[in-house]
Amino acid sequence: TTSGLDWRDAYAVLVEVGSYLPAVFVFYILFFVIAAWNIVTSTFVDKALRFAQPDLEQLTREQLMKDIVDAEELMNLFSEADLDRSESISLEEFIRVAEHPKFRSYLHVRGIDIKDAEVFFQMLLTLGGGQTEVDLAVLVSTLIRMKGLATSIDLHSLSFETKMLGRKQYAFMEENTERLQNIEKLVSSLLKQEVNMLSL
């Protein structure tokens, strides 16, 4: 900014002229130094933050590895509870596992909360096809998907499924109402015919 001239020499020349120009010169030097320092600092901090943030691929890979480890641990836990070695678990076996402190703490740490073991098992039976036992793979995959709080996509999926069920139920009611009306008309016409035959 001063073509290699020492700032002190330039300041000494300006002091001889008066007090206004030296003040402006000092302000200019301070402003330039602070602005340059801020630019350098912000550039450094910005690059450091970019390097510190993990990329999406790394986060996805880490989450996938964590899910695999959790699934293996859950499978081992339920395999111990599967006394008949059927690769599936019954309601009694599931309730016994659900009451175990190790299982409860394991689920609590991973953000999985099962309030009612029997209701949860009935839900699993519905997902698995309505049998008397739930396949261990279905049980483990369901628990892995239930980790943490419900996300927005979960709530939207639930809302969509509820609307679809409502539409199907409405269509079913309309169809049944129409059938009942037809049956009522048929019975009414049959009664009229019978009354007419009796009157003859």
Side-chain angles (χ1 to χ4, degrees), residues 152-169:
S152 178
I153 190 70
D154 294 330
L155 297 177
H156 282 294
S157 298
L158 182 61
S159 173
F160 174 73
E161 289 173 8
T162 305
K163 286 177 182 175
M164 290 301 294
L165 285 173
R167 287 178 185 172
K168 286 181 181 177
Q169 187 176 12

Side-chain angles (χ1 to χ4, degrees), residues 130-149:
Q131 303 167 357
T132 57
E133 293 193 353
V134 176
D135 186 66
L136 290 181
V138 172
L139 177 59
V140 168
S141 66
T142 304
L143 286 171
I144 291 295
R145 280 184 317 210
M146 286 180 61
K147 286 196 307 185
L149 300 174

Side-chain angles (χ1 to χ4, degrees), residues 8-26:
R8 189 181 307 159
D9 297 339
Y11 181 77
V13 171
L14 292 173
V15 165
E16 293 176 3
V17 177
S19 60
Y20 176 72
L21 287 178
V24 172
F25 180 73
V26 169

